[in-house]
Amino acid sequence: MMTVPFFRPSMGEAEKKAACDVIESGWLTTGKITHAFEEEFAAFTGAHHALAVNSNTSGLLLAMEACGVRPGTRIITTPYTFVATAACALHLGADVLFADVEPDSNCINPKEIEALLKEDSMHTVQAIVPVHIAGAVCDMQAIHELARRYSTPEHKIYVIEDAAHSFPSRTRNGMAGTLGDAGVFSFYATKTMTTGEGGMITTNSDELARRITQMRLHGMNRDAWDRYTSTKASWEYDIIDCGYKCNLPDVLSAIGREQLKKADTFDRQRKAIVRRYNEAFSKLDFIHLPPDSEGNAWHLYIINLELSKLDCDRNQFAKELQESGIGISMHFIPIFHFTYWKQKYPDYTAERFPNAEKHYQTAITLPLWPEMPDEMIAYVIETVTQLGNVHHVR
């Protein structure tokens, strides 16, 4: 029996050498390598500013804080995402409103966003946080229009993209993550490019960039690289606010710079695998193919089972895939299923978000990584097809 990992990072000698060079330099924390990574990422995405952080979660926290998310305010996001998207608002003392996803995609539904904004007579919604699930880009034009329409001269509604899945999703209006007031990327181990752990905030706003820069390192007005390389005394600095510790060290940024050089190659490789999956699975009536969108980065390949065609549920199908040696995952368990969120928001139930619940109950995420061997791709296709035939309702 073949074993197919759910994911395997694509690392090579260039990443090893870059990390070793930093180690040998004697400067491991945030310094010139991280600053270079930020400049290169900004150039790649077309953003005016790129600010490296130690995780997408930290980036979301900083972006929300800079956009004024605080006690007495609320954000609108999707329940069909990893918990960090919503939890960051709670860490800032704000509340969360969930808008269901679209019936035919995993992306947040602008109509559901508008319904929440119409009810917000006190103008407490500070930010809309769309999530580009699996690399498919949300309807940003509609979301921007809603933010503009429901903002007032006294109260701006910001748009913060959770772009953890969407590098490098390109649209005619620009790259995902650069389409809102701020965007936050992830460089976690399973992402389309990785630093092991890490992330990047992009923004075209000088004001937001200044605030994020200040708050990502304890509210300090000078970073370590400046303190130890400037002619000004290294010990002299000021704390301008009560900030956080969210910086990305040079040893990880060095890996990120090499991964960034390969980003377009990785993108082509992933899309080639997706084409093979789509061609094979489009012939199977028990599978709904993942929704495509303009510029989809295909971070994940999520299929949805048509359970009326099968004599088993999603969990049984997934279990048998795993028993056949195929690494799979589930994206996502909707946030309203978790104990903490049930206790905090008892009214947030599956019945209120039927599309998110339906997608969850039928979804399986299949292996997808750039250097996935042909024989593994073929084995995934063969195994999914065979299991479907075994469980097909005659």
Side-chain angles (χ1 to χ4, degrees), residues 214-220 239-246:
Q214 292 168 345
M215 294 298 285
R216 70 175 164 176
L217 194 62
H218 301 296
M220 195 178 297
I239 301 295
I240 60 169
D241 208 328
C242 187
Y244 308 93
K245 180 72 166 66
C246 302

Side-chain angles (χ1 to χ4, degrees), residues 340-360:
Y340 172 85
W341 293 83
K342 287 180 182 178
Q343 293 171 346
K344 184 167 182 64
Y345 298 109
D347 292 338
Y348 290 179
T349 62
E351 290 73 25
R352 284 190 62 178
F353 310 102
N355 295 331
E357 181 65 12
K358 181 180 179 181
H359 293 183
Y360 161 59

